[in-house]
């Protein structure tokens, strides 16, 4: 039982707050061969939408690899993967999701 006015004893998993992020889902056909093709596609889309940009974080499900490396290690019991938290916490305004999470990229515009 939770006493009124007191937070729960443990943090409950929550979805990330990506309310300030434009999400673009891409499903190219045929499917992309690898991460390099996905990065080229995502970078072209970021350039089109943001102009100058910075890639903040990304995930490659094929290799189960993320950047920044090991970002998810401290998120083992979290509903939010480390690369997502890193991108959002560092100001991402664009998320490009390719092939339903196979490749995910978070971008920040660099223009002032």
């Amino acid at each position: 039982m939770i006493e009124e006015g007191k937070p729960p004893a443990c943090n409950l998993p929550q979805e990330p707050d990506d309310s300030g992020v434009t999400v673009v889902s891409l499903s190219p056909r045929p499917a992309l061969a690898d991460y390099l093709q996905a990065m080229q596609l995502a970078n072209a889309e970021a350039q089109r939408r943001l102009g100058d940009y910075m890639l903040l974080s990304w995930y490659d499900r094929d290799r189960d690899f993320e950047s920044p490396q090991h970002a998810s290690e401290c998120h083992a019991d979290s509903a939010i993967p480390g690369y997502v938290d890193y991108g959002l916490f560092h100001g991402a305004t664009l998320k490009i999701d390719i092939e339903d999470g196979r490749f995910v990229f978070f971008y920040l515009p660099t223009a002032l």
Side-chain angles (χ1 to χ4, degrees), residues 33-39 58-67 69 101-103 105:
D34 57 21
Y35 168 80
L36 292 176
Q37 283 188 343
M39 185 177 63
W58 54 265
Y59 178 66
D60 172 354
R61 186 171 59 209
D62 290 357
R63 298 180 297 158
D64 192 26
F65 196 74
E66 66 183 353
S67 179
Q69 274 188 309
R102 181 178 173 204
F103 305 104
F105 301 86

Side-chain angles (χ1 to χ4, degrees), residues 31-75:
L32 299 177
D34 57 21
Y35 168 80
L36 292 176
Q37 283 188 343
M39 185 177 63
Q40 290 172 347
L41 178 62
N43 285 347
E45 186 68 19
Q47 175 71 41
R48 188 178 75 74
R49 291 175 177 267
L50 302 176
D52 291 332
Y53 64 85
M54 178 185 295
L55 175 59
L56 293 171
S57 62
W58 54 265
Y59 178 66
D60 172 354
R61 186 171 59 209
D62 290 357
R63 298 180 297 158
D64 192 26
F65 196 74
E66 66 183 353
S67 179
Q69 274 188 309
H70 311 294
S72 290
E73 286 179 3
C74 63
H75 288 258

Side-chain angles (χ1 to χ4, degrees), residues 93-108:
T93 62
L94 177 63
K95 172 186 175 184
I96 299 180
D97 181 338
I98 300 175
E99 297 178 12
D100 295 318
R102 181 178 173 204
F103 305 104
V104 180
F105 301 86
F106 284 88
Y107 292 92
L108 170 71

